Amino acid sequence: MINRRDFIKQTGLAISAASFGLAGFNSPKAKDYKMGLQLFTIRAPMAEDPKLALKTIAGFGYQDTETYGYDGENQKFYGMPATDFKKVLEDNSLVSTSGHYDFIKYFNGSSEDLMKYTDQSIEGAHALNQKYITWPWLDPESRSIEKFKILADKLNLIGERVNKAGLGFAYHNHDFEFIDHNGEIGYDIILQNTDPELVKLQIDLYWVAHSSPLTAQELFMKAPGRFVMWHIKDMDKGSRDYTEMGNGSIDYTKILPDATLSGMEYYYIEQGGNFAQNPIQSVKENATYFKKNLINLFA
């Protein structure tokens, strides 16, 4: 008897191969993936001394980074001009393939201001040679079903602008997208009302395990090839808070082999908090565990 997960996976592969062509996902071979880190994990060290922080994580084996926060008016990352920040990355053999940009600041403002920040973000992403610009967050006042419908329109608008600039655009989930509002779920609205060619998805696998009624594999099946980036972090078995990789309850041996089905191009290890000692020690432990136990499971 074939079990449920294998049925979903095999069916998904058949559908994706027929509908998209697996080669059409443009996913790198497993050996080509660079181990990434979402820099929010080390936000305190980055605020104190970004050059030292980046040198340190490179020493742990990280090769890719995802930025967060961006001063669009002054074209700065972490207080440095974009070109200077890129030089720091290069000096440590690091790249940055995505950034979390502060679109939420303009969500309730004018379309003109939103597009202005979008253009500034495009300039910043180009300066770092990033491949994706990512919308990372909704504030608590912007999480109603009506707001999700407005969000979908804005995502399409931004996605069209970003795509015309030669970049990809994606939306990053947390837990609130999966709240049931009398039969309507925000994540479904995003999936159904955004153009899959313009708006990709960055799936946070912790929040899916924490709050989604569907598994990661089931979400991949709903939109195979669209989940171009992953956030990988573990969940404490008791508190369900963040924890270091390998200490928690998320079984990544059952998720990583679905990289091709999902369309994954880049991944970023992250730990938002609840550090056993401090963020630097945690990113070191996460890298060690990931390289030893998980990195070869991508398929």
Side-chain angles (χ1 to χ4, degrees):
M1 292 288 291
I2 186 169
N3 64 39
R4 179 171 175 271
R5 180 184 177 275
D6 288 341
F7 174 78
I8 290 171
K9 185 174 179 181
Q10 291 178 18
T11 304
L13 287 172
I15 292 173
S16 59
S19 302
F20 299 90
L22 289 178
F25 287 164
N26 296 319
S27 296
K29 299 293 184 183
K31 63 181 177 60
D32 295 330
Y33 291 131
K34 295 180 183 294
M35 189 171 71
L37 177 69
Q38 165 50 258
L39 295 178
F40 184 74
T41 308
I42 54 168
R43 55 197 176 276
M46 287 295 292
E48 181 177 343
D49 189 340
K51 293 182 180 179
L52 176 60
L54 291 171
K55 180 179 180 180
T56 301
I57 64 151
F60 299 154
Y62 292 100
Q63 302 165 291
D64 191 4
T65 62
E66 183 173 47
T67 60
Y68 70 91
Y70 174 61
D71 181 352
E73 288 290 339
N74 297 298
Q75 299 285 299
K76 288 186 176 182
F77 292 90
Y78 310 102
M80 287 180 273
T83 52
D84 291 355
F85 181 69
K86 185 172 186 289
K87 180 65 164 53
V88 176
L89 291 173
E90 291 173 343
D91 287 347
N92 290 286
S93 300
L94 294 168
V95 297
S96 180
T97 48
S98 173
H100 279 191
Y101 288 82
D102 295 326
F103 292 106
I104 189 58
K105 294 179 180 178
Y106 307 92
F107 183 52
N108 294 307
S110 68
S111 294
E112 290 77 12
D113 286 344
L114 180 61
M115 287 298 98
K116 179 182 178 182
Y117 183 72
T118 299
D119 290 338
Q120 292 170 346
S121 300
I122 289 169
E123 288 185 36
H126 276 312
L128 297 189
N129 198 30
Q130 290 176 333
K131 307 305 179 186
Y132 283 95
I133 288 174
T134 302
W135 181 309
W137 172 255
L138 290 176
D139 57 32
E141 295 74 30
S142 304
R143 299 174 185 175
S144 68
I145 287 300
E146 287 307 311
K147 290 287 189 178
F148 274 112
K149 293 175 181 177
I150 294 170
L151 172 67
D153 290 337
K154 292 182 184 294
L155 293 176
N156 283 325
L157 188 66
I158 297 169
E160 182 176 17
R161 188 81 143 234
V162 170
N163 275 246
K164 285 182 178 178
L167 299 167
F169 178 63
Y171 179 83
H172 172 89
N173 70 276
H174 289 81
D175 56 343
F176 48 81
E177 289 89 353
F178 301 111
I179 295 173
D180 190 321
H181 298 263
N182 298 316
E184 292 187 277
I185 295 175
Y187 206 65
D188 286 342
I189 290 172
I190 293 170
L191 279 171
Q192 296 164 9
N193 295 294
T194 56
D195 185 335
E197 294 301 314
L198 300 178
V199 182
K200 304 300 183 182
L201 300 166
Q202 182 182 79
I203 188 169
D204 189 307
L205 294 163
Y206 165 87
W207 285 117
V208 168
H210 186 282
S211 302
S212 173
L214 300 180
T215 66
Q217 292 84 4
E218 289 167 333
L219 286 172
F220 297 155
M221 277 301 306
K222 293 185 75 169
R226 196 174 177 185
F227 297 87
V228 296
M229 291 177 286
W230 292 6
H231 272 205
I232 295 175
K233 48 193 173 189
D234 216 340
M235 182 167 63
D236 187 271
K237 296 174 182 177
S239 69
R240 306 187 82 222
D241 199 346
Y242 309 118
T243 191
E244 288 72 25
M245 293 291 298
N247 293 340
S249 61
I250 301 178
D251 186 355
Y252 278 102
T253 66
K254 296 181 178 179
I255 302 175
L256 300 186
D258 287 326
T260 299
L261 170 62
S262 76
M264 193 266 278
E265 299 172 21
Y266 306 104
Y267 71 89
Y268 313 97
I269 294 170
E270 183 186 19
Q271 186 174 336
N274 198 35
F275 306 112
Q277 296 182 43
N278 58 67
I280 291 295
Q281 181 63 28
S282 290
V283 297
K284 180 180 180 180
E285 292 177 11
N286 288 337
T288 299
Y289 179 86
F290 198 81
K291 287 186 291 184
K292 180 179 179 181
N293 298 285
L294 299 175
I295 201 166
N296 292 320
L297 296 179
F298 287 118

